[in-house]
Amino acid sequence: MQEAVSGLDGGSLILLSKCLQSSNRGKHCTFWLWPSSDLNQVFGLLLLYLSTDNGLVESLQSCPATNPSMLNVHLVPHTHDDVGWLKTVDQYYYGGEDLLMSDLKHAGVQYILDSVIDQLQKDPARRFIYVETAFFYRWWRQQSQSTQRIVAQLVNEGRLEFINGGWCMSDEATTHYSAVIDQMTLGLRFLNDTFGECGRPRVAWHIDPFGHAREHASIFAQMGYDGFFFGRLDYQDKARRMKTKEMEMLWRASESLTPPLADLFTGVLPNGYNPPEGFCWDQSCDDAPIRDDPDLEDYNVDEIVQKFLNASYRQAAFYKTNHIIMTMGSDFQYENANLWYKNMDKLIKYVNALQAKGSKVNVLYSTPSCYLQELNLANLTWPLKTDDFFPYADDAHDFWTGYFTSRPALKLYERLSNSRLQTCNQLEVLGGPKSKSGPFGEGDSDTMSKAMGVAQHHDAVSGTEKQHVAYDYARRLATGWAHCEVQKHKLPFILHFSMNVYNPLGRTVSWPVRLPVNGSVYSVTDANGRAVDSQVGNVFISLKCTCYIYDMKSSCLLPLLSVRWFHCLSPHRNESFQKNEVMCVFVLFGNYRYNASAGNNKESRQTSGAYIFRPNSSDPFVINKTAETQIVTVSSTVQEVTQRFSPWVSQVVRLYEGHRELELEWTVGPVPVADGLGKEVITRLDTDIKSSDYFYTDSNGREVLERRKDYRPTWELKQTEPVAGNYYPINSRAYIKDDKHQLTVVTDRSQGASSLYNGSLEIMLHRRLLYDDFRGVGEPLSEPGEFSDGLVARGRLLLTLSPPDTAADVHRPLAQGMVLQPLLSFQDGTPSANTKLEFSGLQTSLPPAVHLLTLSQWDKDTALIRLEHQYQAKESKTHSQPVTVNLQKLFSTLEVLGASEMSLGANQWKEDMNRLQWNTEKTSKPLPLSAKDPSPWEVTLNPMEIRTLLLRVRQL
Amino acid sequence: MQEAVSGLDGGSLILLSKCLQSSNRGKHCTFWLWPSSDLNQVFGLLLLYLSTDNGLVESLQSCPATNPSMLNVHLVPHTHDDVGWLKTVDQYYYGGEDLLMSDLKHAGVQYILDSVIDQLQKDPARRFIYVETAFFYRWWRQQSQSTQRIVAQLVNEGRLEFINGGWCMSDEATTHYSAVIDQMTLGLRFLNDTFGECGRPRVAWHIDPFGHAREHASIFAQMGYDGFFFGRLDYQDKARRMKTKEMEMLWRASESLTPPLADLFTGVLPNGYNPPEGFCWDQSCDDAPIRDDPDLEDYNVDEIVQKFLNASYRQAAFYKTNHIIMTMGSDFQYENANLWYKNMDKLIKYVNALQAKGSKVNVLYSTPSCYLQELNLANLTWPLKTDDFFPYADDAHDFWTGYFTSRPALKLYERLSNSRLQTCNQLEVLGGPKSKSGPFGEGDSDTMSKAMGVAQHHDAVSGTEKQHVAYDYARRLATGWAHCEVQKHKLPFILHFSMNVYNPLGRTVSWPVRLPVNGSVYSVTDANGRAVDSQVGNVFISLKCTCYIYDMKSSCLLPLLSVRWFHCLSPHRNESFQKNEVMCVFVLFGNYRYNASAGNNKESRQTSGAYIFRPNSSDPFVINKTAETQIVTVSSTVQEVTQRFSPWVSQVVRLYEGHRELELEWTVGPVPVADGLGKEVITRLDTDIKSSDYFYTDSNGREVLERRKDYRPTWELKQTEPVAGNYYPINSRAYIKDDKHQLTVVTDRSQGASSLYNGSLEIMLHRRLLYDDFRGVGEPLSEPGEFSDGLVARGRLLLTLSPPDTAADVHRPLAQGMVLQPLLSFQDGTPSANTKLEFSGLQTSLPPAVHLLTLSQWDKDTALIRLEHQYQAKESKTHSQPVTVNLQKLFSTLEVLGASEMSLGANQWKEDMNRLQWNTEKTSKPLPLSAKDPSPWEVTLNPMEIRTLLLRVRQL
């Protein structure tokens, strides 16, 4: 889409950027993309480049030469730098002080980058890829201008290549797509601002995450990546793929988007992300260096060369082309890059020297994108993949399905923080510059944005980090919250206060509010002074607030013994909850626990731990067959049933007047372990739905995948763990259905779920374990609670029952409402007279199918907006249709002067996206068609489509 | 001494060299010293230097500026690179593959030097010192010319400084001065050949050896070193020195040489050779890096700066000047030098920044020689030290006196190898070029020279290395032997063979020979066909050979059932051994063992191990009170008594006709340990000599020091280990005496010895232990023998009894004869007719006081000779006098064309030696006077003096 232009000064800047990026699309060039609002910055960067040794701004096609008649071995020097795991992200950055893991005790990323940049300069043939922008950003800021110049030159010449490029390498099982897109955008923007087009990663690189979500592949495709490589997949799947040479494939990652929109070339790396055995030359490795001085002892060149040739041929047998890739690096390697490069230099020299004697192996330094380019040139037909890579098992009893639920409190806090960040971003756009320093306090979304960036890491929200690191993530998020405070908010323990509510969704929602109070009689009124129904219970006041779009109520006044409050009637008032229908279908909802394997099982020593779920029996234990049950009617609009199963498991069941969903508020913990058994607590919903072996789980909160017990779509599964081997991650929902009914559970955070019986759906809520599970974290997952006991976790599940063909109409908005929650804030007394008591940022409610995914300030005069069609193709008769939004009729306080469409990652103009094309097997499924935009100002969204637009805006 | 010149072409070369080194003696300059015989080489090197960035050959006074009104803290970045210890020297060079010690598992010196050279280039303020030339040499050969150029420039500018500079950092307790001088010369020559004057180390640096020998200090002084620093000394001594600020002193290291010939400024380093606590930034350390980014967590600049100021003031309290030195490094550190320099850069920046706020601490990168220069400028009076630093204890029960004896077989082999090396060197000079490839085989002394160079290391001949490393040293020596073979020699299991004998001493010796044979009747004749007395015993033939100077008998023909043999009458034939006198004095010579402490003692957990000697009782156990004794008279000239004390301890006592000494050939092992007790076997000689608490031990085989039980000359000893705390190293001899008698024991290798009772002298022979002693080697000292049992060690002690005032006349030549043993070689049948059957390299025997310490080929036309006065001042009425040698009347086959005197290390002209001068306390002892040379060709040696001369020679 061409930019729709109105206004002048913005236009000239965009022309400049067009000129700058006019180039051909070689692998490496040095132009800038952004319509930067600061010309000095643009020229400053240009100057920086012009002053590099090269002297000229030019494009470079920098991939190394290969030999078409030989087996080309692409050595890819890389480091895998966890953005927190055994140490916090900043501890990893500086290095030192981790006494627990001697091999990684330094793991200082500052030194890795220092060292690699030094070593790259020693030989133009050497290459390096760097992945985690959270680290690179820390390092870059501390470098001198001359070092920055050198690095820019290395990037321009393709010697240093950014791969993946997000703020972190996100987890795929426990992240929400909203936060994933944000963290990728954060990292990619830094690279683009700093290095221009040459800094744009072409390849997605998820070498460590423990299973791979289809939605991630879809996101990468929409971000313009040409390919994707990863290291971990089910060991049975891998064995089969090696045998059939299906290690590389085309992943069609959406059933809604028109191919090749969500198609992504995907490669399984041969050795995880490690080098082949015997060729690890990092300081943390034990392999012999190449000893090529015949005058010294232990000359080993011939032996090592032969071993390498063998390894190369062995690997080549599993791949289709005469190119293979070897990942030369691992966790926090290259702190002393000389060790690696010195030995690889020798390896290349001595292996290639044998070509003169007839050897057909050609080794070279390379990068994933150069390797990918060779695969593309091979012009083969690649196998098609349409499901995902969950669950991940690395052996028969080693299913990595525990981390779907590990650290439930952190997982919730991360999700709430995302809501807060979106709110913060929106307010910065709507409030304009004054929102950063005014009545809203220090409204800086940057801190939260970075805290959320690291929280997406595959050892962060995944719950697989050490305890002290988990605390660090939480602390970072808390700091983010503080920086996003638009008003001082504290809990109203006084009798006279006002509250405002901000609704970040693009449509009206109804929202129950419970506040702790110390009075017993309150009168609540809304902004217009009308009385609001409320009920004071035991230390809580409950009330319900239905908020219109972008309401900023600064004045829910609560005078003496009264509450003033804005009450909006629900537009869905008439669709009241069908109690009887639910009661008839729900046979049972009960709480169970699995006892964790302690590693003393005769089949395997595998324990349950932060990563691994392995119950010591396939049948869960009922925590208590009977529960103390108390029925409380809090108000005319809420009914509550409290169930207490044991001192450490209880549940509140709530029905809200005017709501279709049943709320289960579960409380689990401290999980007792005095009996020597770790425990993994589930809630199980047993219904008479004839679901057979099927159930459904979402992928990163977006599209839903069909699951089937003891089955994988792409290979003949040999099931070895009847419980753990059937668990899948859910990020927003799971459901079971038959012809008549669909039971959907919407969750407040990522969890593990399964259906092991006909009509049954189970969700794991909390885990407390006594053993480490041997995957490196070195701690049992036993989170401490407030009083030196185990952690108490609490959360909500929303259950809805609908006919299958209208279920999405309910669970889609319900889930988005769970993700983006209204923001409450408080102040003492009554707002001043000139306080605006009502405000809406949108002119009108968005169409039901449209979700406002992103609204955030970009540059001074630009805002980034992402509009999303939140329904899959065919899932809703009403909503699974193209829908159009007029950008100029969107905002109530902003004038949209121009709009340019970008890739999903916002680091490329949409029109410049020109991804590699791949041939694949024909599919029998009909391909979705997509509708077009009717005009430059009107954006049409097809099912599941996300449109990313850079808007030039002016405050009205 | 000016060169004595005769001949022409040599002269011109020397003129060139004089011109080249005409310069002032600044710390750094770039001139060459050698009268190289290859002009191209000289000009090539000059060209190399002229082409460096600097463009000009110039002198640089490169020490960093200091601040006279502040406390100057000299940070000395350094690495301590053992030339073998836990890994072999080549394993340490290449790195990798030691799985036993995770911290040092890489310890790759190649990477250390790579990394340091990179880092030095980043900032001209940065300094580094390098010590071990065995490693530097390996690295240098593998570098490109451009890297070599960069390194040369760094050396010229004083940024890289060589310290110590020998092939290794030699052990001080178990080495012989001959081998120490050789290994120093080997290293220093490489540095001089490569870097010229700027590569000459000014400071001796023995930071790790476990006690310090006075002879080493004397050697360093004579080599021109300005100062000496070490790390280890007795903990009581150190505490006292800290209290009295005597950590730095002047060491007067000889009682014979005229001061300041053997005076050496000596400093005790504050923290061994480690950095102060909390400031170790190597990858092998755990200290926090300086985290100076306030935006990241754990900012710690203020805390670290304060800690450093505290450490500086604490240290300054123990030293006299306003300069202190901090060793910033340790074992195999700086493999990733960036970690160190990056943090030290920050330390210097932030500590010195406080000067603006009144701080009086000034930190700077420095080197030991720059630090030493500041001490010298302080112009203080320093305390005087005249004894040595043995034994070394680091705690009350932790005496490092076990290694004096550890690995007795390796210690013997090293000593025999020295003899072989000297022989090899001599033959290369005497034989000329033809000696390298002719009838003598591949006569290359270089391999042996380097093998001996590493064998002097303080974890080599010391016996404190791991077993596999001990094997490596032995293997290297064996390869050296092979390269020194002047004839194929194999044991004569045939009946018809000839033998030749080479005597490397400068005088006639008489030498008993025992050869294994398989015949029973042999006839032996000498070169002149005269019959030689011989006796065939059980598989051995014994005979005695007295060889004149430089005899090369290639024709000791042994025809059928006969032996042909050269028999020389002893010049001392009339001084035959006084049997009765000996028998009267020897009360007992018996064998004992100490049982080793197993660490279960209530006072201390210290065990006996490779380093530490700690018996579990002060009284040794008699191995057997009675012995199976067998008297055998082998021949008319040899009498033998065989004593068998136990299956694993036996002894042969021999008396040779015409010899004054009694030979004890001891055999110990396999030491049984099935009783769970490690054992340390001694031989004890109990006499009626009234020695009281006094005994005497040599220092590195030269001067003798007085020892006194439970006493140290320089501090009030609190004795805590009555046995181990009284052990001292002996390298060549020990004695006890009273007014009438002196019993001297001459040893064949280095051992530990003591006198714990009046009239008693004990020598530790062998050790087998069951526990590691916690000093890092990580293995119990339990050497395997041939048949998976413990090692059997065998050796000889020569006992002489004399009046004290003539004892030296006997033990000096006896000890030299033990060190330089005749070389036997064999061939089948009879030598060809034109074989020269007799040859002498010297025109005449050297004077009795003169020892030919070194004779080795230097360049094509030059030879290095060291002549030594082998008597101390006053120890012999006859010989402790100046003695003169005429260089032109020395050799029978060489014409001496010129002679230039050099420093002992042969890396500086003697006339250019201009060491720093130091003020010290006045001593009451009379200072020795020295006699002068009567003419340019005549070299006068004063007692204990060594003269090092480069001779220009021509084969006659």
Side-chain angles (χ1 to χ4, degrees), chain A residues 633-902:
Chain A
T633 301
V634 172
S635 75
S636 55
T637 56
V638 184
Q639 288 180 42
E640 279 189 14
V641 178
T642 303
Q643 296 176 297
R644 191 177 160 86
F645 298 93
S646 84
W648 54 279
V649 178
S650 61
Q651 181 168 268
V652 183
V653 186
R654 289 196 190 91
L655 283 170
Y656 295 96
E657 185 270 326
H659 282 238
R660 293 175 62 106
E661 74 276 12
L662 180 78
E663 177 180 302
L664 297 187
E665 188 183 62
W666 52 270
T667 303
V668 178
V671 179
V673 287
D675 58 1
L677 291 167
K679 294 180 187 63
E680 327 203 28
V681 180
I682 63 165
T683 192
R684 197 171 84 191
L685 310 169
D686 291 314
T687 72
D688 55 6
I689 292 173
K690 293 161 197 68
S691 61
S692 180
D693 288 341
Y694 291 88
F695 58 109
Y696 300 83
T697 63
D698 70 296
S699 183
N700 296 133
R702 283 192 97 217
E703 293 191 41
V704 172
L705 278 84
E706 181 182 271
R707 308 298 185 182
R708 188 172 156 194
K709 196 179 99 173
D710 298 335
Y711 177 83
R712 304 286 185 267
T714 45
W715 85 92
E716 191 87 27
L717 175 68
K718 190 184 161 218
Q719 184 60 280
T720 43
E721 281 285 327
V723 178
N726 282 309
Y727 259 69
Y728 290 86
I730 60 173
N731 307 103
S732 61
R733 79 209 76 184
Y735 55 80
I736 52 175
K737 63 177 184 179
D738 59 16
D739 291 347
K740 289 186 187 159
H741 296 109
Q742 174 170 328
L743 171 70
T744 309
V745 179
V746 168
T747 67
D748 59 352
R749 76 199 75 187
S750 294
Q751 290 169 316
S754 189
S755 170
L756 299 172
Y757 312 97
N758 184 18
S760 167
L761 185 64
E762 65 183 61
I763 294 169
M764 190 177 290
L765 303 177
H766 197 8
R767 322 176 68 218
R768 189 176 182 196
L769 302 167
L770 298 174
Y771 301 97
D772 177 51
D773 56 2
F774 319 126
R775 294 305 187 280
V777 69
E779 282 181 5
L781 181 73
S782 175
E783 297 175 275
E786 210 170 348
F787 304 109
S788 74
D789 207 339
L791 181 72
V792 180
R794 176 173 290 167
R796 292 188 300 146
L797 301 172
L798 305 183
L799 277 55
T800 71
L801 190 73
S802 329
D805 58 357
T806 61
D809 300 347
V810 179
H811 70 68
R812 287 284 170 196
L814 198 62
Q816 294 294 21
M818 190 71 119
V819 169
L820 291 185
Q821 303 193 356
L823 171 71
L824 308 182
S825 57
F826 305 91
Q827 69 178 68
D828 293 349
T830 315
S832 61
N834 59 353
T835 302
K836 200 173 174 181
L837 296 183
E838 287 189 22
F839 164 82
S840 178
L842 291 190
Q843 291 182 25
T844 178
S845 204
L846 291 171
V850 178
H851 175 58
L852 180 68
L853 176 60
T854 302
L855 177 62
S856 73
Q857 197 68 29
W858 192 256
D859 278 325
K860 195 163 128 285
D861 300 316
T862 53
L864 190 74
I865 186 172
R866 286 196 187 91
L867 294 169
E868 173 186 7
H869 194 304
Q870 62 177 334
Y871 287 88
Q872 291 182 208
K874 301 176 200 163
E875 88 181 336
S876 164
K877 273 183 194 153
T878 321
H879 301 307
S880 295
Q881 307 295 338
V883 55
T884 299
V885 176
N886 187 320
L887 296 172
Q888 287 188 315
K889 294 182 180 166
L890 211 50
F891 299 106
S892 62
T893 62
L894 296 174
E895 183 185 0
V896 175
L897 304 172
S900 302
E901 186 162 13
M902 315 190 79

Side-chain angles (χ1 to χ4, degrees), chain A residues 97 106 283 291 335-336, chain B residues 97 106 283 291 335-336:
Chain A
E97 285 192 300
H106 274 285
Q283 68 185 28
R291 294 179 292 244
E335 187 170 316
N336 191 355
Chain B
E97 288 193 298
H106 274 287
Q283 68 186 28
R291 294 181 290 246
E335 188 170 314
N336 191 356

Side-chain angles (χ1 to χ4, degrees), chain B residues 644-768:
Chain B
R644 192 177 159 87
F645 297 93
S646 83
W648 54 280
V649 179
S650 62
Q651 182 168 269
V652 183
V653 186
R654 288 195 190 91
L655 283 170
Y656 294 95
E657 184 270 326
H659 282 237
R660 293 175 62 106
E661 74 276 10
L662 180 78
E663 179 180 300
L664 297 186
E665 189 185 62
W666 50 270
T667 303
V668 178
V671 179
V673 288
D675 58 0
L677 291 167
K679 294 179 188 62
E680 326 201 28
V681 180
I682 64 165
T683 191
R684 197 170 81 191
L685 311 169
D686 291 313
T687 72
D688 57 6
I689 292 172
K690 294 162 197 66
S691 61
S692 180
D693 289 342
Y694 291 87
F695 58 110
Y696 301 83
T697 62
D698 70 296
S699 182
N700 297 131
R702 284 192 97 217
E703 294 191 38
V704 173
L705 278 83
E706 182 182 271
R707 309 296 185 183
R708 189 173 155 193
K709 195 180 102 172
D710 298 336
Y711 177 83
R712 304 287 184 265
T714 46
W715 85 91
E716 190 88 24
L717 175 69
K718 190 185 161 219
Q719 184 59 278
T720 44
E721 281 285 328
V723 179
N726 282 310
Y727 259 69
Y728 290 86
I730 60 173
N731 308 101
S732 61
R733 78 210 77 186
Y735 55 80
I736 51 174
K737 64 178 184 177
D738 59 17
D739 292 346
K740 289 185 188 158
H741 296 109
Q742 175 170 329
L743 172 71
T744 309
V745 180
V746 169
T747 68
D748 59 352
R749 76 199 74 186
S750 294
Q751 291 169 314
S754 189
S755 170
L756 299 172
Y757 311 97
N758 185 18
S760 167
L761 187 63
E762 66 183 60
I763 294 169
M764 189 178 289
L765 303 178
H766 197 9
R767 322 176 68 216
R768 189 176 182 199

Side-chain angles (χ1 to χ4, degrees), chain B residues 45-173:
Chain B
L45 286 168
L46 262 180
L47 218 60
L48 181 83
Y49 274 70
L50 286 166
S51 65
T52 56
D53 291 344
N54 223 19
L56 281 174
V57 175
E58 58 180 23
S59 302
L60 292 170
Q61 183 69 32
S62 71
C63 281
T66 58
N67 189 322
S69 66
M70 293 193 178
L71 173 61
N72 295 280
V73 185
H74 295 245
L75 302 185
V76 175
H78 80 104
T79 182
H80 176 63
D81 298 348
D82 287 304
V83 180
W85 181 35
L86 308 178
K87 303 202 282 192
T88 69
V89 52
D90 285 351
Q91 286 171 347
Y92 274 132
Y93 176 70
Y94 267 118
E97 288 193 298
D98 178 46
L99 304 176
L100 300 168
M101 293 282 291
S102 68
D103 266 8
L104 296 176
K105 74 179 166 190
H106 274 287
V109 176
Q110 59 163 336
Y111 305 127
I112 293 173
L113 287 164
D114 288 347
S115 184
V116 163
I117 297 307
D118 273 4
Q119 290 298 320
L120 285 178
Q121 292 172 65
K122 291 189 185 292
D123 184 345
R126 291 177 175 178
R127 302 295 169 106
F128 197 74
I129 58 171
Y130 200 75
V131 175
E132 298 86 1
T133 305
F135 282 129
F136 188 83
Y137 159 85
R138 281 164 167 76
W139 181 82
W140 178 261
R141 292 188 314 162
Q142 298 175 353
Q143 302 312 302
S144 67
Q145 218 173 11
S146 75
T147 302
Q148 290 186 345
R149 226 182 334 248
I150 287 164
V151 173
Q153 183 71 20
L154 291 171
V155 172
N156 289 348
E157 294 174 10
R159 293 152 71 179
L160 173 65
E161 182 173 312
F162 293 102
I163 292 289
N164 217 56
W167 204 247
C168 73
M169 182 187 294
S170 59
D171 185 59
E172 300 195 41

Side-chain angles (χ1 to χ4, degrees), chain B residues 615-875:
Chain B
N616 70 2
S617 143
S618 299
D619 295 316
F621 298 86
V622 181
I623 285 167
N624 202 335
K625 281 181 186 166
T626 59
E628 285 175 37
T629 302
Q630 190 184 358
I631 298 178
V632 188
T633 302
V634 173
S635 76
S636 55
T637 55
V638 185
Q639 290 180 42
E640 280 189 14
V641 178
T642 304
Q643 296 177 296
R644 192 177 159 87
F645 297 93
S646 83
W648 54 280
V649 179
S650 62
Q651 182 168 269
V652 183
V653 186
R654 288 195 190 91
L655 283 170
Y656 294 95
E657 184 270 326
H659 282 237
R660 293 175 62 106
E661 74 276 10
L662 180 78
E663 179 180 300
L664 297 186
E665 189 185 62
W666 50 270
T667 303
V668 178
V671 179
V673 288
D675 58 0
L677 291 167
K679 294 179 188 62
E680 326 201 28
V681 180
I682 64 165
T683 191
R684 197 170 81 191
L685 311 169
D686 291 313
T687 72
D688 57 6
I689 292 172
K690 294 162 197 66
S691 61
S692 180
D693 289 342
Y694 291 87
F695 58 110
Y696 301 83
T697 62
D698 70 296
S699 182
N700 297 131
R702 284 192 97 217
E703 294 191 38
V704 173
L705 278 83
E706 182 182 271
R707 309 296 185 183
R708 189 173 155 193
K709 195 180 102 172
D710 298 336
Y711 177 83
R712 304 287 184 265
T714 46
W715 85 91
E716 190 88 24
L717 175 69
K718 190 185 161 219
Q719 184 59 278
T720 44
E721 281 285 328
V723 179
N726 282 310
Y727 259 69
Y728 290 86
I730 60 173
N731 308 101
S732 61
R733 78 210 77 186
Y735 55 80
I736 51 174
K737 64 178 184 177
D738 59 17
D739 292 346
K740 289 185 188 158
H741 296 109
Q742 175 170 329
L743 172 71
T744 309
V745 180
V746 169
T747 68
D748 59 352
R749 76 199 74 186
S750 294
Q751 291 169 314
S754 189
S755 170
L756 299 172
Y757 311 97
N758 185 18
S760 167
L761 187 63
E762 66 183 60
I763 294 169
M764 189 178 289
L765 303 178
H766 197 9
R767 322 176 68 216
R768 189 176 182 199
L769 303 167
L770 298 174
Y771 301 98
D772 177 52
D773 56 1
F774 320 126
R775 294 305 187 282
V777 69
E779 283 182 3
L781 182 73
S782 177
E783 296 175 275
E786 209 169 348
F787 304 107
S788 73
D789 206 340
L791 181 73
V792 180
R794 176 173 290 167
R796 292 187 300 144
L797 300 172
L798 304 182
L799 278 55
T800 72
L801 191 73
S802 330
D805 59 357
T806 60
D809 301 344
V810 179
H811 69 69
R812 288 282 168 197
L814 199 61
Q816 294 294 21
M818 189 72 117
V819 169
L820 290 185
Q821 302 194 358
L823 171 69
L824 308 182
S825 56
F826 305 91
Q827 70 178 68
D828 292 350
T830 315
S832 60
N834 59 354
T835 302
K836 202 174 174 183
L837 295 182
E838 287 190 20
F839 165 82
S840 177
L842 291 191
Q843 291 182 26
T844 178
S845 203
L846 290 171
V850 178
H851 176 59
L852 180 67
L853 176 59
T854 303
L855 177 61
S856 72
Q857 198 68 28
W858 192 256
D859 278 324
K860 194 162 129 287
D861 301 316
T862 54
L864 190 75
I865 185 172
R866 286 196 186 90
L867 294 169
E868 174 188 7
H869 194 304
Q870 62 176 331
Y871 287 88
Q872 291 182 210
K874 299 176 201 160
E875 93 181 330

